[in-house]
Amino acid sequence: MPHLDELIIGVIEKRFPVQAQHTDEINRLTKSIDDEEKSIQENYLEIGRLYYEQNPDASEGEIGEAVGKINESNKKIKASKMKIGTLMGYTFCETCGAQVEEDDLYCNNCGAKMPVKVLPGMELCPHCHKAVKAGIRFCTNCGKPMQEEEKPKVKECPSCGFTTENLDMIFCEKCNRRLVMEGGDPEEETVVEEKLPVHKVCPACGFKIFDADTMFCEKCNRRLVEDEAAE
């Protein structure tokens, strides 16, 4: 006995005889089967398309491998289309396919940034990003200098925001806080203890002086002591 699927295939291929009274009905049923199988294949393709659109970066397993093959094919198709456009003398946006001018910086249709072609002996302007002749001082497209001027170094006050280009200045003119280089961290302010004068006396000759730093007697060179200690 044949399997059901084998029987149907045999009937379609006319390998199995069909009774005349059932011919029309069997033909109708086999056509219905064929139509439904075609519908299934179309839905398989639709499922695959929807999955790919939602997971274009899938990389795991057999599905990831299939997605990678589709991505590679799409790249080759795009490259071939762009090449045809170039051979025909036109330039197109690689993102949306809209026609653009050769020196356009952005696509007028989707806003994508266009790759800038820099030929030998040319360089990009840092301001307008146009390709101009290398070595010139000012851009021939926007007129701005090709070399960006270095900003002068300045010091700033971390307290009130005062700034100055005088790098020798240490304290702020407004609030007297210590200045730091622009963008730098404030330095810790060291508190210098003021030495108060002390009344000192020589225990040998009686020489006296009102000073904090003098250590020895100016007359006999004996070590001085504070007046209270001498008493």
mmCIF file of all heavy atoms in Angstrom, residues 54-94:
data_model
loop_
_atom_site.group_PDB
_atom_site.id
_atom_site.type_symbol
_atom_site.label_atom_id
_atom_site.label_comp_id
_atom_site.label_asym_id
_atom_site.label_seq_id
_atom_site.Cartn_x
_atom_site.Cartn_y
_atom_site.Cartn_z
ATOM 1 N N GLN A 54 13.358 42.204 11.273
ATOM 2 C CA GLN A 54 13.382 42.471 12.706
ATOM 3 C C GLN A 54 14.685 42.034 13.374
ATOM 4 O O GLN A 54 14.990 42.481 14.490
ATOM 5 C CB GLN A 54 12.202 41.754 13.388
ATOM 6 C CG GLN A 54 10.848 42.267 12.940
ATOM 7 C CD GLN A 54 9.695 41.454 13.512
ATOM 8 O OE1 GLN A 54 9.873 40.682 14.445
ATOM 9 N NE2 GLN A 54 8.502 41.627 12.946
ATOM 10 N N ASN A 55 15.456 41.197 12.710
ATOM 11 C CA ASN A 55 16.716 40.690 13.280
ATOM 12 C C ASN A 55 17.827 40.708 12.238
ATOM 13 O O ASN A 55 18.406 39.671 11.902
ATOM 14 C CB ASN A 55 16.520 39.263 13.807
ATOM 15 C CG ASN A 55 15.415 39.152 14.829
ATOM 16 O OD1 ASN A 55 15.619 39.370 16.016
ATOM 17 N ND2 ASN A 55 14.220 38.802 14.357
ATOM 18 N N PRO A 56 18.164 41.895 11.689
ATOM 19 C CA PRO A 56 19.189 41.956 10.633
ATOM 20 C C PRO A 56 20.604 41.664 11.133
ATOM 21 O O PRO A 56 21.505 41.477 10.319
ATOM 22 C CB PRO A 56 19.070 43.390 10.124
ATOM 23 C CG PRO A 56 18.554 44.154 11.303
ATOM 24 C CD PRO A 56 17.623 43.222 12.011
ATOM 25 N N ASP A 57 20.784 41.643 12.458
ATOM 26 C CA ASP A 57 22.116 41.399 13.023
ATOM 27 C C ASP A 57 22.230 40.020 13.665
ATOM 28 O O ASP A 57 23.196 39.758 14.390
ATOM 29 C CB ASP A 57 22.454 42.478 14.060
ATOM 30 C CG ASP A 57 22.477 43.867 13.449
ATOM 31 O OD1 ASP A 57 22.945 44.002 12.310
ATOM 32 O OD2 ASP A 57 22.025 44.818 14.120
ATOM 33 N N ALA A 58 21.252 39.155 13.432
ATOM 34 C CA ALA A 58 21.302 37.809 14.020
ATOM 35 C C ALA A 58 22.548 37.074 13.534
ATOM 36 O O ALA A 58 22.923 37.168 12.363
ATOM 37 C CB ALA A 58 20.041 37.029 13.645
ATOM 38 N N SER A 59 23.196 36.345 14.432
ATOM 39 C CA SER A 59 24.454 35.696 14.064
ATOM 40 C C SER A 59 24.595 34.280 14.615
ATOM 41 O O SER A 59 25.603 33.634 14.350
ATOM 42 C CB SER A 59 25.641 36.543 14.545
ATOM 43 O OG SER A 59 25.583 36.724 15.958
ATOM 44 N N GLU A 60 23.617 33.811 15.371
ATOM 45 C CA GLU A 60 23.741 32.512 16.004
ATOM 46 C C GLU A 60 22.990 31.435 15.234
ATOM 47 O O GLU A 60 21.892 31.666 14.720
ATOM 48 C CB GLU A 60 23.219 32.567 17.443
ATOM 49 C CG GLU A 60 24.010 33.501 18.352
ATOM 50 C CD GLU A 60 23.485 33.491 19.779
ATOM 51 O OE1 GLU A 60 22.501 32.755 20.022
ATOM 52 O OE2 GLU A 60 24.045 34.202 20.625
ATOM 53 N N GLY A 61 23.593 30.247 15.163
ATOM 54 C CA GLY A 61 22.930 29.092 14.577
ATOM 55 C C GLY A 61 22.728 29.192 13.079
ATOM 56 O O GLY A 61 23.308 30.030 12.382
ATOM 57 N N GLU A 62 21.867 28.300 12.553
ATOM 58 C CA GLU A 62 21.592 28.242 11.125
ATOM 59 C C GLU A 62 20.881 29.501 10.640
ATOM 60 O O GLU A 62 21.126 29.979 9.535
ATOM 61 C CB GLU A 62 20.754 27.005 10.807
ATOM 62 C CG GLU A 62 21.479 25.678 11.078
ATOM 63 C CD GLU A 62 20.618 24.480 10.753
ATOM 64 O OE1 GLU A 62 19.439 24.683 10.403
ATOM 65 O OE2 GLU A 62 21.125 23.345 10.851
ATOM 66 N N ILE A 63 19.995 30.036 11.495
ATOM 67 C CA ILE A 63 19.290 31.264 11.101
ATOM 68 C C ILE A 63 20.283 32.423 10.976
ATOM 69 O O ILE A 63 20.226 33.210 10.026
ATOM 70 C CB ILE A 63 18.190 31.607 12.121
ATOM 71 C CG1 ILE A 63 17.078 30.556 12.061
ATOM 72 C CG2 ILE A 63 17.623 32.995 11.862
ATOM 73 C CD1 ILE A 63 15.942 30.791 13.035
ATOM 74 N N GLY A 64 21.214 32.521 11.935
ATOM 75 C CA GLY A 64 22.227 33.571 11.866
ATOM 76 C C GLY A 64 23.083 33.442 10.619
ATOM 77 O O GLY A 64 23.467 34.437 9.998
ATOM 78 N N GLU A 65 23.394 32.221 10.236
ATOM 79 C CA GLU A 65 24.187 31.987 9.017
ATOM 80 C C GLU A 65 23.419 32.451 7.784
ATOM 81 O O GLU A 65 23.984 33.081 6.888
ATOM 82 C CB GLU A 65 24.523 30.505 8.908
ATOM 83 C CG GLU A 65 25.413 30.168 7.715
ATOM 84 C CD GLU A 65 25.765 28.691 7.658
ATOM 85 O OE1 GLU A 65 25.447 27.966 8.624
ATOM 86 O OE2 GLU A 65 26.351 28.262 6.647
ATOM 87 N N ALA A 66 22.107 32.149 7.749
ATOM 88 C CA ALA A 66 21.281 32.575 6.619
ATOM 89 C C ALA A 66 21.173 34.095 6.561
ATOM 90 O O ALA A 66 21.243 34.704 5.483
ATOM 91 C CB ALA A 66 19.888 31.949 6.725
ATOM 92 N N VAL A 67 21.019 34.733 7.737
ATOM 93 C CA VAL A 67 20.956 36.196 7.796
ATOM 94 C C VAL A 67 22.260 36.805 7.281
ATOM 95 O O VAL A 67 22.260 37.788 6.533
ATOM 96 C CB VAL A 67 20.673 36.668 9.241
ATOM 97 C CG1 VAL A 67 20.888 38.175 9.361
ATOM 98 C CG2 VAL A 67 19.252 36.317 9.649
ATOM 99 N N GLY A 68 23.393 36.213 7.664
ATOM 100 C CA GLY A 68 24.687 36.706 7.190
ATOM 101 C C GLY A 68 24.814 36.629 5.683
ATOM 102 O O GLY A 68 25.371 37.531 5.040
ATOM 103 N N LYS A 69 24.293 35.556 5.086
ATOM 104 C CA LYS A 69 24.349 35.404 3.622
ATOM 105 C C LYS A 69 23.503 36.463 2.934
ATOM 106 O O LYS A 69 23.890 37.018 1.900
ATOM 107 C CB LYS A 69 23.882 34.001 3.227
ATOM 108 C CG LYS A 69 24.845 32.882 3.625
ATOM 109 C CD LYS A 69 24.304 31.522 3.221
ATOM 110 C CE LYS A 69 25.276 30.408 3.610
ATOM 111 N NZ LYS A 69 24.752 29.064 3.242
ATOM 112 N N ILE A 70 22.328 36.758 3.530
ATOM 113 C CA ILE A 70 21.474 37.805 2.959
ATOM 114 C C ILE A 70 22.169 39.161 3.040
ATOM 115 O O ILE A 70 22.151 39.948 2.082
ATOM 116 C CB ILE A 70 20.119 37.848 3.689
ATOM 117 C CG1 ILE A 70 19.330 36.565 3.422
ATOM 118 C CG2 ILE A 70 19.305 39.068 3.252
ATOM 119 C CD1 ILE A 70 18.027 36.477 4.186
ATOM 120 N N ASN A 71 22.791 39.463 4.186
ATOM 121 C CA ASN A 71 23.504 40.741 4.345
ATOM 122 C C ASN A 71 24.626 40.870 3.318
ATOM 123 O O ASN A 71 24.823 41.943 2.732
ATOM 124 C CB ASN A 71 24.073 40.857 5.762
ATOM 125 C CG ASN A 71 22.994 41.089 6.805
ATOM 126 O OD1 ASN A 71 21.923 41.579 6.490
ATOM 127 N ND2 ASN A 71 23.276 40.741 8.049
ATOM 128 N N GLU A 72 25.365 39.797 3.114
ATOM 129 C CA GLU A 72 26.463 39.824 2.148
ATOM 130 C C GLU A 72 25.936 40.034 0.732
ATOM 131 O O GLU A 72 26.514 40.790 -0.055
ATOM 132 C CB GLU A 72 27.259 38.520 2.233
ATOM 133 C CG GLU A 72 28.548 38.519 1.448
ATOM 134 C CD GLU A 72 29.543 39.553 1.932
ATOM 135 O OE1 GLU A 72 29.522 39.882 3.139
ATOM 136 O OE2 GLU A 72 30.340 40.040 1.101
ATOM 137 N N SER A 73 24.823 39.382 0.405
ATOM 138 C CA SER A 73 24.215 39.557 -0.921
ATOM 139 C C SER A 73 23.735 40.988 -1.115
ATOM 140 O O SER A 73 23.900 41.580 -2.192
ATOM 141 C CB SER A 73 23.056 38.579 -1.105
ATOM 142 O OG SER A 73 23.515 37.238 -1.117
ATOM 143 N N ASN A 74 23.132 41.568 -0.058
ATOM 144 C CA ASN A 74 22.659 42.955 -0.151
ATOM 145 C C ASN A 74 23.817 43.925 -0.391
ATOM 146 O O ASN A 74 23.682 44.890 -1.150
ATOM 147 C CB ASN A 74 21.916 43.340 1.121
ATOM 148 C CG ASN A 74 20.494 42.792 1.151
ATOM 149 O OD1 ASN A 74 19.887 42.584 0.104
ATOM 150 N ND2 ASN A 74 19.960 42.556 2.344
ATOM 151 N N LYS A 75 24.966 43.657 0.258
ATOM 152 C CA LYS A 75 26.140 44.516 0.046
ATOM 153 C C LYS A 75 26.616 44.445 -1.402
ATOM 154 O O LYS A 75 26.955 45.465 -2.012
ATOM 155 C CB LYS A 75 27.264 44.095 0.996
ATOM 156 C CG LYS A 75 27.029 44.444 2.448
ATOM 157 C CD LYS A 75 28.202 43.995 3.317
ATOM 158 C CE LYS A 75 27.966 44.306 4.781
ATOM 159 N NZ LYS A 75 29.101 43.838 5.629
ATOM 160 N N LYS A 76 26.639 43.237 -1.954
ATOM 161 C CA LYS A 76 27.094 43.064 -3.338
ATOM 162 C C LYS A 76 26.127 43.724 -4.318
ATOM 163 O O LYS A 76 26.551 44.339 -5.301
ATOM 164 C CB LYS A 76 27.242 41.579 -3.648
ATOM 165 C CG LYS A 76 28.374 40.901 -2.893
ATOM 166 C CD LYS A 76 28.461 39.426 -3.221
ATOM 167 C CE LYS A 76 29.618 38.753 -2.467
ATOM 168 N NZ LYS A 76 29.694 37.303 -2.762
ATOM 169 N N ILE A 77 24.824 43.595 -4.024
ATOM 170 C CA ILE A 77 23.826 44.227 -4.885
ATOM 171 C C ILE A 77 23.981 45.748 -4.867
ATOM 172 O O ILE A 77 23.968 46.413 -5.908
ATOM 173 C CB ILE A 77 22.402 43.829 -4.432
ATOM 174 C CG1 ILE A 77 22.148 42.351 -4.727
ATOM 175 C CG2 ILE A 77 21.350 44.702 -5.119
ATOM 176 C CD1 ILE A 77 20.865 41.825 -4.142
ATOM 177 N N LYS A 78 24.153 46.326 -3.652
ATOM 178 C CA LYS A 78 24.305 47.775 -3.533
ATOM 179 C C LYS A 78 25.568 48.249 -4.253
ATOM 180 O O LYS A 78 25.555 49.271 -4.949
ATOM 181 C CB LYS A 78 24.353 48.188 -2.067
ATOM 182 C CG LYS A 78 24.510 49.690 -1.854
ATOM 183 C CD LYS A 78 24.487 50.063 -0.388
ATOM 184 C CE LYS A 78 23.101 49.947 0.184
ATOM 185 N NZ LYS A 78 23.034 50.474 1.583
ATOM 186 N N ALA A 79 26.676 47.511 -4.070
ATOM 187 C CA ALA A 79 27.930 47.889 -4.725
ATOM 188 C C ALA A 79 27.783 47.863 -6.241
ATOM 189 O O ALA A 79 28.282 48.754 -6.937
ATOM 190 C CB ALA A 79 29.047 46.954 -4.273
ATOM 191 N N SER A 80 27.076 46.865 -6.755
ATOM 192 C CA SER A 80 26.877 46.771 -8.204
ATOM 193 C C SER A 80 26.014 47.920 -8.713
ATOM 194 O O SER A 80 26.288 48.516 -9.762
ATOM 195 C CB SER A 80 26.224 45.434 -8.557
ATOM 196 O OG SER A 80 27.072 44.344 -8.220
ATOM 197 N N LYS A 81 24.960 48.254 -7.965
ATOM 198 C CA LYS A 81 24.091 49.364 -8.367
ATOM 199 C C LYS A 81 24.856 50.686 -8.367
ATOM 200 O O LYS A 81 24.710 51.504 -9.283
ATOM 201 C CB LYS A 81 22.889 49.450 -7.425
ATOM 202 C CG LYS A 81 21.876 48.317 -7.601
ATOM 203 C CD LYS A 81 20.699 48.494 -6.634
ATOM 204 C CE LYS A 81 19.643 47.418 -6.841
ATOM 205 N NZ LYS A 81 18.504 47.572 -5.899
ATOM 206 N N MET A 82 25.669 50.910 -7.299
ATOM 207 C CA MET A 82 26.448 52.147 -7.217
ATOM 208 C C MET A 82 27.442 52.229 -8.370
ATOM 209 O O MET A 82 27.684 53.301 -8.933
ATOM 210 C CB MET A 82 27.170 52.221 -5.877
ATOM 211 C CG MET A 82 26.256 52.325 -4.663
ATOM 212 S SD MET A 82 25.309 53.865 -4.594
ATOM 213 C CE MET A 82 26.635 55.042 -4.312
ATOM 214 N N LYS A 83 28.037 51.099 -8.737
ATOM 215 C CA LYS A 83 28.998 51.066 -9.835
ATOM 216 C C LYS A 83 28.321 51.417 -11.151
ATOM 217 O O LYS A 83 28.871 52.169 -11.964
ATOM 218 C CB LYS A 83 29.631 49.676 -9.912
ATOM 219 C CG LYS A 83 30.714 49.554 -10.975
ATOM 220 C CD LYS A 83 31.913 50.415 -10.641
ATOM 221 C CE LYS A 83 33.039 50.187 -11.632
ATOM 222 N NZ LYS A 83 34.224 51.039 -11.342
ATOM 223 N N ILE A 84 27.108 50.885 -11.355
ATOM 224 C CA ILE A 84 26.357 51.211 -12.569
ATOM 225 C C ILE A 84 26.080 52.713 -12.623
ATOM 226 O O ILE A 84 26.228 53.355 -13.672
ATOM 227 C CB ILE A 84 25.043 50.412 -12.617
ATOM 228 C CG1 ILE A 84 25.339 48.924 -12.820
ATOM 229 C CG2 ILE A 84 24.140 50.934 -13.740
ATOM 230 C CD1 ILE A 84 24.118 48.035 -12.724
ATOM 231 N N GLY A 85 25.673 53.294 -11.476
ATOM 232 C CA GLY A 85 25.412 54.734 -11.429
ATOM 233 C C GLY A 85 26.648 55.541 -11.784
ATOM 234 O O GLY A 85 26.570 56.524 -12.521
ATOM 235 N N THR A 86 27.821 55.107 -11.254
ATOM 236 C CA THR A 86 29.073 55.814 -11.550
ATOM 237 C C THR A 86 29.408 55.725 -13.028
ATOM 238 O O THR A 86 29.820 56.714 -13.653
ATOM 239 C CB THR A 86 30.217 55.213 -10.711
ATOM 240 O OG1 THR A 86 29.901 55.322 -9.320
ATOM 241 C CG2 THR A 86 31.523 55.945 -10.975
ATOM 242 N N LEU A 87 29.243 54.540 -13.613
ATOM 243 C CA LEU A 87 29.532 54.358 -15.038
ATOM 244 C C LEU A 87 28.592 55.186 -15.904
ATOM 245 O O LEU A 87 28.970 55.610 -17.007
ATOM 246 C CB LEU A 87 29.416 52.871 -15.403
ATOM 247 C CG LEU A 87 30.454 51.942 -14.759
ATOM 248 C CD1 LEU A 87 30.148 50.496 -15.090
ATOM 249 C CD2 LEU A 87 31.870 52.299 -15.212
ATOM 250 N N MET A 88 27.387 55.449 -15.397
ATOM 251 C CA MET A 88 26.429 56.263 -16.144
ATOM 252 C C MET A 88 26.640 57.750 -15.915
ATOM 253 O O MET A 88 25.948 58.590 -16.499
ATOM 254 C CB MET A 88 25.002 55.876 -15.739
ATOM 255 C CG MET A 88 24.609 54.451 -16.126
ATOM 256 S SD MET A 88 24.531 54.200 -17.906
ATOM 257 C CE MET A 88 23.129 55.240 -18.314
ATOM 258 N N GLY A 89 27.594 58.097 -14.998
ATOM 259 C CA GLY A 89 27.902 59.503 -14.758
ATOM 260 C C GLY A 89 27.075 60.157 -13.679
ATOM 261 O O GLY A 89 26.987 61.390 -13.627
ATOM 262 N N TYR A 90 26.438 59.360 -12.806
ATOM 263 C CA TYR A 90 25.624 59.912 -11.732
ATOM 264 C C TYR A 90 26.190 59.489 -10.378
ATOM 265 O O TYR A 90 26.912 58.499 -10.258
ATOM 266 C CB TYR A 90 24.174 59.428 -11.839
ATOM 267 C CG TYR A 90 23.481 59.842 -13.118
ATOM 268 C CD1 TYR A 90 23.309 58.925 -14.158
ATOM 269 C CD2 TYR A 90 22.995 61.135 -13.295
ATOM 270 C CE1 TYR A 90 22.674 59.286 -15.332
ATOM 271 C CE2 TYR A 90 22.365 61.507 -14.469
ATOM 272 C CZ TYR A 90 22.211 60.578 -15.487
ATOM 273 O OH TYR A 90 21.584 60.944 -16.641
ATOM 274 N N THR A 91 25.832 60.256 -9.340
ATOM 275 C CA THR A 91 26.207 59.919 -7.967
ATOM 276 C C THR A 91 24.940 59.737 -7.147
ATOM 277 O O THR A 91 24.017 60.554 -7.233
ATOM 278 C CB THR A 91 27.069 61.033 -7.337
ATOM 279 O OG1 THR A 91 28.237 61.237 -8.137
ATOM 280 C CG2 THR A 91 27.514 60.637 -5.924
ATOM 281 N N PHE A 92 24.883 58.666 -6.376
ATOM 282 C CA PHE A 92 23.695 58.361 -5.590
ATOM 283 C C PHE A 92 24.058 58.159 -4.125
ATOM 284 O O PHE A 92 25.188 57.780 -3.795
ATOM 285 C CB PHE A 92 23.001 57.092 -6.118
ATOM 286 C CG PHE A 92 22.478 57.231 -7.521
ATOM 287 C CD1 PHE A 92 23.248 56.852 -8.606
ATOM 288 C CD2 PHE A 92 21.223 57.751 -7.750
ATOM 289 C CE1 PHE A 92 22.777 56.978 -9.903
ATOM 290 C CE2 PHE A 92 20.731 57.889 -9.040
ATOM 291 C CZ PHE A 92 21.512 57.501 -10.124
ATOM 292 N N CYS A 93 23.082 58.417 -3.239
ATOM 293 C CA CYS A 93 23.258 58.187 -1.810
ATOM 294 C C CYS A 93 23.245 56.689 -1.537
ATOM 295 O O CYS A 93 22.338 55.977 -1.973
ATOM 296 C CB CYS A 93 22.128 58.873 -1.033
ATOM 297 S SG CYS A 93 22.075 58.451 0.727
ATOM 298 N N GLU A 94 24.258 56.199 -0.829
ATOM 299 C CA GLU A 94 24.331 54.773 -0.520
ATOM 300 C C GLU A 94 23.266 54.339 0.470
ATOM 301 O O GLU A 94 22.942 53.157 0.568
ATOM 302 C CB GLU A 94 25.715 54.426 0.038
ATOM 303 C CG GLU A 94 26.843 54.596 -0.967
ATOM 304 C CD GLU A 94 28.168 54.127 -0.415
ATOM 305 O OE1 GLU A 94 28.176 53.532 0.678
ATOM 306 O OE2 GLU A 94 29.195 54.358 -1.076
#
